[in-house]
Each structure stands twice: as C-alpha cells, then as structure tokens.
Amino acid sequence: MDGLKVQVPHENYHQELISCQVACPVHTDARGYVRAIASGDFEAAYLIARGPNPFASICGRICGAPCETACRRGKVPRVDDDGHFVAEDRPVAIRALKRFACEQAGPDSHPTDVVLKKIQLARPSAAANAEEMAALLRAGVEGKFIPAEGQRIAIIGAGPAGLAAGHDLALMGFRPVVFETEPVAAGMLAVGVPAYRLPRDLINREVAVIQALGVEIRCNTTVGKDISFSELRADFDAVIVAVGAKSSRSLGLPGENGPRVYGGVDLLRAVSLGTSLEIGQKVVVIGGGNVAYDVARSVLRQIAYDTARTAARLEATSLVHLVSLEGLEEMPADTVEIMEGDEEGIERWNGWGPLGILRDDEGLVTGVEFRRCLRVYDENRRFSPVYDDQDRKVIPCDTVLLAVGQSPALNFLENGGTDVQMMRPGWPKVDPATLATTADRVFVAGDLAHGTRLLIDAVASGKAVARSVYQSLTGRSITFDAVTSHIVLDRYRRERGYESIRRADIPTLHPSERLVHPDAVVETGFTCAQAMCEASRCLDCGVTPIFDGSRCVLCGGCADVCPTQCLKLVSLAELITNDDLNQAIEQTLGPDIDLTEHSAILKDEDRCIRCALCFMRCPAEAITMERVTTSISWRTL
Ligand SMILES: Cc1cc2nc3c(=O)[nH]c(=O)nc-3n(C[C@H](O)[C@H](O)[C@H](O)COP(=O)(O)OP(=O)(O)OC[C@H]3O[C@@H](n4cnc5c(N)ncnc54)[C@H](O)[C@@H]3O)c2cc1C
C-alpha cells in the first residue's frame, strides 16, 4: 500500500494558512476585515483594510483580488445532504466586502480630516499587524522608529505606485513631491479605468487623504518638458520614477498608421478627461484582456449616449466588435468582464488574428481583415499562434482601437538620466531587492519596475521603494519585531449554517440601465445584510483546531464528526517519513519506537472548514480552537 505524505507544521505554518493574506502583495489581512464585517464591526474592518493600503477604497471597487483566487473557501468541496461531492465551493467575495467596509467608514462616506484621524489613532486589533500605518506612526512617537530628516524626494508619476511611495515616505519623515503630467492624480486609475467601474469623486477622496498626510502633488507638470530630469536630480535627495506604461503598443499591421486607428489607452484617457477623439459608429477593438473590455464598453457607452442625446434611434449595440486571438476559455479578461460585455451587446469574436486594416481611396478605415487562429500557445504555454490562412473574414468598421499591451515612455532620461541603463528597450535595469536603477539615487516603482500588473502590485512596489529610499538615504533599515501568539478560544462557535451559504452575486445595474449614462456605476455593492451574510462564509483560516497528543484517547470521535472528512486517525507506520516527521516523532515519542504501535491524527487543510465540531466532540479535551495572531512593532536598525 502507498504511504501517506504529510507535512509537519513549521514555525510559520499557521500564518501561511491565511492564504488570502499571503496572496495579497501588501499582505492585507482580508480574513481580518471579512470577519470584522461578519461581526458587525465595520469601523475595524475599514481600519484593517486601510492599514497596509492607501488605496483600500479604490481596491474595493477594482482590485484584481489575488486574495479571492487564493481563498480556501473556493477549494473546499461542497457535499450534498448525503455527503456526496457536488462541486468545489466559490471564494468569499472579498473585494466587494472591502468596498462595503470602506463605504461604511472610509473616505467614501467621511470627510478627509475624519478619515485621517481614524487611521492615525487606530489601535491594534486581533489582527494587529494589519494597522501597519498606525503602527509606524506609533513607533515614531515611541522613539522606536527614527524618522528621516525631511529630505526631499521627487516622484515622477502620480499613479498608485508613485502615490503609495509618497504616502509611506511622508510617514517616514521625508518631504515627497509628486510630478504628474496629467491634470489629475492617480495614474491609470483616473485616466484608464472607466468611471462606470470607478467613480471619479472616490478617487479624489482617496487621494485627498494621501495629500493630507504630507504628499505634495504637482499636476500638469511633465518631466522632460516643464522640468528636466537633471533638475530633479540636482534639487532632490532621491528620484523615484513611477511613470507606468502609458503608450499603447502597435501591431505593425498594413493600414495601421492613419486616421481613426487609436491606442486603447489613448481612447480611455480621452473619455476620462472629456477631450475629443474622433470615433465613428462601427468600432473594432482588437484585444482580449481587461483593457480591451474597458475600451469596448467605454466606446459602447459613448456611442449610446451620443446617439440618445441626438434623439436618433439607439442602435449602438452590435456595432462594437471585440476580436480576440484567444478562444473564449483562454481569454485573459476576467469572466465578469466577458459576461457583462456580452450582456451590454459587445459583439465578441474569439479565435481571430488581424491581418490588416483596410482603407478606401480617401484613406478612411473600411474594415479589418482577420484570419482564423487555431492555437495561441504551444505545449509549454509560450505565445506561438498558429493560423489557418485560408479561413479569413473582414469585419466592416470605421474605427479601430488597439488594446494589445502598453509600454513605458522614458524620453525624459535623455537630459540627466543617461546613466540609467536599460534591461531591454524602454525598460530600465532594476535591482529587484532595492528597486534601484544603475544611476545614483534613482529608483523605480510600479508597472515600470515589474511590467504591467495589477493596481495592488503597483501599491506594493511603491511601498517597497519607500523603504529602500529610507535605507539608502539614512543608512538605517526599517525592520519589525513579530510576536506570534496562539490564543485559546474557549467559546469558539461559527454562524449557524455558514458552511452551506452560497457566494452572493455582487449586485449590479440591469444591463438596460447601464448605457443610460457613460458614468453609471455598474456594480451597486452589497447591502448591510448581504455583506454580513457573505462575510459569514469566511472560513477564518486564522483559527485552527490544535490537537494535544498526550490527552488523546484515540476514540476517533473527531474524525467521525467532521463534516468534510478532513481528519483521519492513522498508524504512524502508514506515513511516508521525512526529516521533519522523524524529528517530530523523536521529540514526542523518543528514539527507536515501533511505529506500528503509535497513531497520528492527520488533517487535510484544504478541507477543514473550522467548524469546531471536533473540538466540541472530543471527550478528553485534547482539541482546542486557537487563533494565531502576529503582532508587529516597527523599529529602525
Ligand atoms: C485601462 C486599464 C484598466 C485597468 N484596470 C485595472 C483593474 O481593474 N484592476 C487592477 O488591479 N488593475 C488594473 N489596471 C492596472 C493598474 O491600473 C496599473 O497596474 C497601475 O495603475 C500601475 O500603476 P503605476 O503607478 O505604476 O503607473 P500608472 O498608473 O500608469 O501611473 C503613472 C503616472 O505617471 C505619469 N507620467 C508618465 N510620464 C510622466 C512624465 N514624463 N512626467 C510626469 N508624469 C508622468 C502618468 O501620467 C501616470 O499618471 C488597469 C490598467 C489599465 C491600463
């Protein structure tokens, strides 16, 4: 018989089980705020969400939510009343719950000074590490953290990376100044992400809190035009380049250069800022990712709105085509984008690659020719499309929008930044540990540092570069002392029936209401009752049953009562031994024991739903429910 492969819990084992927190690039304790919502403590929920993330409210609306992908609830098997496997459950709707928490207590509903006071006075909760910002402020007051001496830091780009860096630098005692070419701050969040997903006044409120902490933002200031890079290097103690990747990539297709072919992000910028871009009535969007959907859905709204305003018949639907190389299953766009796009009337074409843009004698776009794409990736998941050249088609249109990726524009380095070496054209060489470039006191952050990713990756990068600048300019590093404790929960109980509650659909406007105004926000968000119910689905992975082998009477009651059959009582001889296991056995039972005479309780972490039935059933009080918490105190070294 094959043996059982087991893992012996190591020092950080229980913290690593909180998979939502591990997956978040800024390590937000999602479990902490979701459980706080479940218990009705919305203020605590907001503070936990805001602690490590100055963009918490915005993340509540649009974060790519790696926490949800990692959520253990999405991996637990759902069984029917007879105990038969039905399907895997779905993750907790963490992002929508974050929105709810922020709406209750954050800048969505409170003035800047009130929010500021809340986050500055936040006290540690059960999830103490979450209030990183308050902890940092406290450490400064308590003399454990030696602040910087007001050195001036120039940040180029007021996107999430630049502003997150500015936010943390201000907390550390620097004077950050952010230079932004656009008339508004927040980067792609303000000039890329459409207002129907992210309301503009919410962006302004979130940014206002960052400014109130001491970050100066100079909009309408282009580095390379209004001020040179060499001036910044001369006038400031360090420079952080966080200019993102704003230029739309082209495809080099015949007919691509000329009127009415635009980059997708240029279209989104024009829509966001209310500037004009000549768009026709029949539009082809090339691309299959989230940006392509933002472009297609924005155009659809624009056409519908303009048509309605001119009292013409509303025939916008079916006039916006989205053409993706990938088949439906392989499309990089989120499922919700594809579904909502379909609902709104985007004409989706999967498995077609563009061959050329057709123009008439006057140079006007008349259509795009495509050929069938049979396969996009090879066996090693490398991009390697294969086409059927015989299978072609033309989609007639008068406007083409390309949403096939972006790249950075670093022309400003010509004056004062030639010592910034490139890794490949357009992308600087970066030390991944420090985010330093090859030039003295020049750092990078965000999309420019790691390529286009999610908003929360840019925030994490901005925070990392702030620490790196601190270390570089002060010669001290920021570190923390972590104290992990196991708190025994004598009265631990879960909400009744929490294990069978299905994930709530996030409420949205009916498709017919969405196109009435281009800025009509599609997601309407959870009500209080919906939020508390959805939050109660969280498995609370920070709590875990702990087994005391010395008390166990081997009755097997815990395994019998477990509704997901995650516990198993086995002979030690059945286990495949490894060094950790041998060491654990020797420590508990001594050397040279007969394995067949001893037993172990095995726990399948993927299945455990923290219901505590094993704890309640155990006749020998050998099982305790324990919450694992880590409290962190910052200091300088
Ligand atoms: C259309 C679109 C939709 C997206 N949707 C989502 C989403 O739903 N969820 C998600 O998690 N992520 C999303 N992303 C990704 C996310 O927006 C980015 O990863 C993030 O904005 C990158 O942050 P950044 O600060 O590095 O760069 P940016 O946000 O691009 O900010 C860079 C800033 O630098 C400024 N700048 C550039 N050059 C200069 C100069 N010479 N002088 C002064 N200022 C300059 C720019 O104007 C810009 O404001 C989306 C991206 C796009 C393009």
Side-chain angles (χ1 to χ4, degrees):
M1 191 183 80
D2 286 344
L4 292 162
K5 215 169 162 185
V6 293
Q7 188 189 359
V8 178
H10 52 76
E11 199 185 340
N12 297 323
Y13 177 81
H14 291 104
Q15 286 97 315
E16 287 173 12
L17 288 180
I18 308 174
S19 48
C20 52
Q21 186 169 16
V22 173
C24 175
V26 299
H27 307 301
T28 309
D29 182 10
R31 177 214 60 85
Y33 68 74
V34 169
R35 292 303 301 154
I37 293 172
S39 68
D41 192 347
F42 306 143
E43 176 112 353
Y46 169 69
L47 292 173
I48 294 170
R50 175 60 173 80
N53 182 3
F55 286 88
S57 297
I58 291 176
C59 277
R61 303 297 180 117
I62 64 157
C63 184
C67 51
E68 287 191 28
T69 312
C71 173
R72 263 191 348 99
R73 178 89 198 214
K75 300 182 175 73
V76 170
R78 261 195 317 113
V79 288
D80 63 17
D81 293 343
D82 299 325
H84 298 124
F85 174 79
V86 183
E88 267 162 6
D89 206 340
R90 294 177 63 206
V92 175
I94 302 175
R95 180 184 59 75
L97 289 172
K98 176 178 263 185
R99 168 181 171 167
F100 174 79
C102 295
E103 279 176 340
Q104 302 304 307
D108 317 46
S109 55
H110 293 78
T112 304
D113 56 334
V114 174
V115 176
L116 202 61
K117 206 165 275 170
K118 282 185 202 208
I119 52 188
Q120 285 174 335
L121 294 177
R123 302 307 306 167
S125 68
N129 58 333
E131 285 92 359
E132 184 197 73
M133 178 179 144
L136 200 59
L137 289 165
R138 261 195 308 278
V141 173
E142 291 162 6
K144 291 190 207 153
F145 178 83
I146 307 168
E149 287 154 9
Q151 293 98 320
R152 297 175 77 221
I153 313 296
I155 300 171
I156 313 175
L163 291 185
H167 174 273
D168 280 18
L169 286 167
L171 289 181
M172 291 172 193
F174 291 98
R175 281 183 295 150
V177 181
V178 186
F179 297 88
E180 171 57 53
T181 183
E182 299 290 1
V184 289
M188 277 303 170
L189 310 180
V191 297
V193 180
Y196 68 81
R197 290 206 290 128
L198 180 59
R200 279 10 190 184
D201 62 335
L202 176 62
I203 300 180
N204 296 339
R205 284 160 174 264
E206 194 101 282
V207 171
V209 177
I210 296 172
Q211 285 174 299
L213 278 162
V215 180
E216 180 185 341
I217 305 175
R218 295 187 196 163
C219 286
N220 293 309
T221 310
T222 307
V223 175
K225 192 173 127 223
D226 302 308
I227 186 164
S228 72
F229 192 65
S230 59
E231 282 175 84
L232 293 185
R233 287 185 80 178
D235 294 349
F236 289 82
D237 295 285
V239 182
I240 298 171
V241 187
V243 294
K246 266 183 93 172
S247 308
S248 281
R249 258 193 227 138
S250 57
L251 283 169
L253 298 172
E256 194 173 303
N257 297 324
R260 293 257 179 113
V261 177
Y262 305 107
V265 286
D266 302 322
L267 176 279
L268 292 170
R269 178 180 179 277
V271 170
S272 296
L273 297 178
T275 55
S276 67
L277 205 61
E278 207 190 314
I279 296 285
Q281 288 280 311
K282 292 183 180 163
V283 179
V284 166
V285 178
I286 299 177
N290 286 333
V291 175
Y293 268 95
D294 279 348
V295 172
R297 295 177 70 187
S298 294
V299 169
L300 192 68
R301 283 160 170 72
Q302 221 57 45
I303 296 175
Y305 188 58
D306 292 345
T307 312
R309 268 197 318 180
T310 54
R313 201 164 62 85
L314 190 123
E315 53 178 6
T317 49
S318 90
L319 294 182
V320 178
H321 303 265
L322 182 142
V323 191
S324 158
L325 204 55
E326 295 88 357
L328 179 58
E329 296 298 315
E330 277 188 321
M331 276 179 92
D334 293 342
T335 309
V336 64
E337 287 291 329
I338 300 171
M339 276 167 45
E340 290 181 358
D342 286 358
E343 283 169 0
E344 290 167 10
I346 305 269
E347 197 77 5
R348 174 170 45 76
W349 301 91
N350 287 105
W352 293 94
L355 270 170
I357 293 167
L358 311 178
R359 293 182 183 271
D360 63 15
D361 294 345
E362 290 167 17
L364 299 177
V365 172
T366 58
V368 185
E369 186 175 19
F370 292 92
R371 60 183 161 163
R372 172 63 77 186
C373 177
L374 301 172
R375 186 200 77 179
V376 183
Y377 301 99
D378 66 13
E379 308 71 39
N380 301 317
R381 290 299 297 164
R382 273 191 302 247
F383 184 72
S384 171
V386 174
Y387 298 99
D388 176 355
D389 269 317
Q390 307 309 316
D391 192 358
R392 296 182 178 207
K393 73 196 206 92
V394 171
I395 300 182
C397 64
D398 53 26
T399 309
V400 180
L401 294 160
L402 302 175
V404 290
Q406 295 109 241
S407 52
L410 296 173
N411 310 350
F412 55 83
L413 292 179
E414 285 161 12
N415 183 357
T418 48
D419 49 345
V420 177
Q421 286 173 17
M422 295 294 141
M423 177 182 61
R424 57 192 157 94
W427 296 90
K429 209 173 181 178
V430 184
D431 178 337
T434 61
L435 298 177
T437 66
T438 50
D440 183 35
R441 294 176 297 113
V442 178
F443 299 79
V444 294
D447 278 0
L448 181 65
H450 50 53
T452 50
R453 286 193 200 160
L454 297 176
L455 143 68
I456 193 65
D457 290 299
V459 172
S461 171
K463 294 170 72 69
V465 83
R467 276 156 182 62
S468 182
V469 167
Y470 178 88
Q471 179 156 7
S472 166
L473 295 194
T474 67
R476 299 185 292 271
S477 59
I478 300 176
T479 184
F480 56 80
D481 299 313
V483 180
T484 299
S485 33
H486 286 242
I487 301 164
V488 176
L489 307 170
D490 291 330
R491 295 164 180 270
Y492 183 76
R493 292 287 182 278
R494 286 302 317 239
E495 295 84 349
R496 183 180 288 269
Y498 78 104
E499 74 283 4
S500 53
I501 301 171
R502 309 286 286 273
R503 175 177 161 122
D505 287 334
I506 300 162
T508 55
L509 283 184
H510 188 272
S512 64
E513 296 169 67
R514 294 184 202 157
L515 305 190
V516 171
H517 191 281
D519 295 352
V521 178
V522 173
E523 273 188 16
T524 51
F526 287 139
T527 62
C528 187
Q530 285 169 326
M532 289 180 73
C533 178
E534 177 63 17
S536 75
R537 295 180 65 241
C538 171
L539 298 181
D540 200 350
C541 303
V543 172
T544 192
I546 303 284
F547 298 80
D548 179 350
S550 66
R551 286 173 167 252
C552 178
V553 292
L554 297 179
C555 67
C558 53
D560 291 344
V561 79
C562 176
T564 61
Q565 294 156 9
C566 80
L567 297 175
K568 209 171 185 167
L569 187 59
V570 296
S571 158
L572 280 185
E574 285 181 53
L575 308 182
I576 298 177
T577 52
N578 57 43
D579 287 349
D580 290 344
L581 182 61
N582 287 339
Q583 203 184 347
I585 292 173
E586 195 172 323
Q587 270 172 9
T588 2
L589 301 171
D592 305 324
I593 53 139
D594 179 355
L595 294 179
T596 57
E597 287 182 4
H598 296 274
S599 306
I601 290 276
L602 303 188
K603 176 157 163 267
D604 181 343
E605 292 292 3
D606 282 346
R607 286 172 167 258
C608 177
I609 59 170
R610 275 55 174 173
C611 62
L613 289 181
C614 53
F615 150 71
M616 290 182 243
R617 173 71 171 266
C618 180
E621 296 185 355
I623 304 174
T624 43
M625 296 304 286
E626 298 185 14
R627 181 178 296 288
V628 185
T629 65
T630 306
S631 69
I632 282 177
S633 75
W634 296 94
R635 63 187 168 88
T636 33
L637 204 65

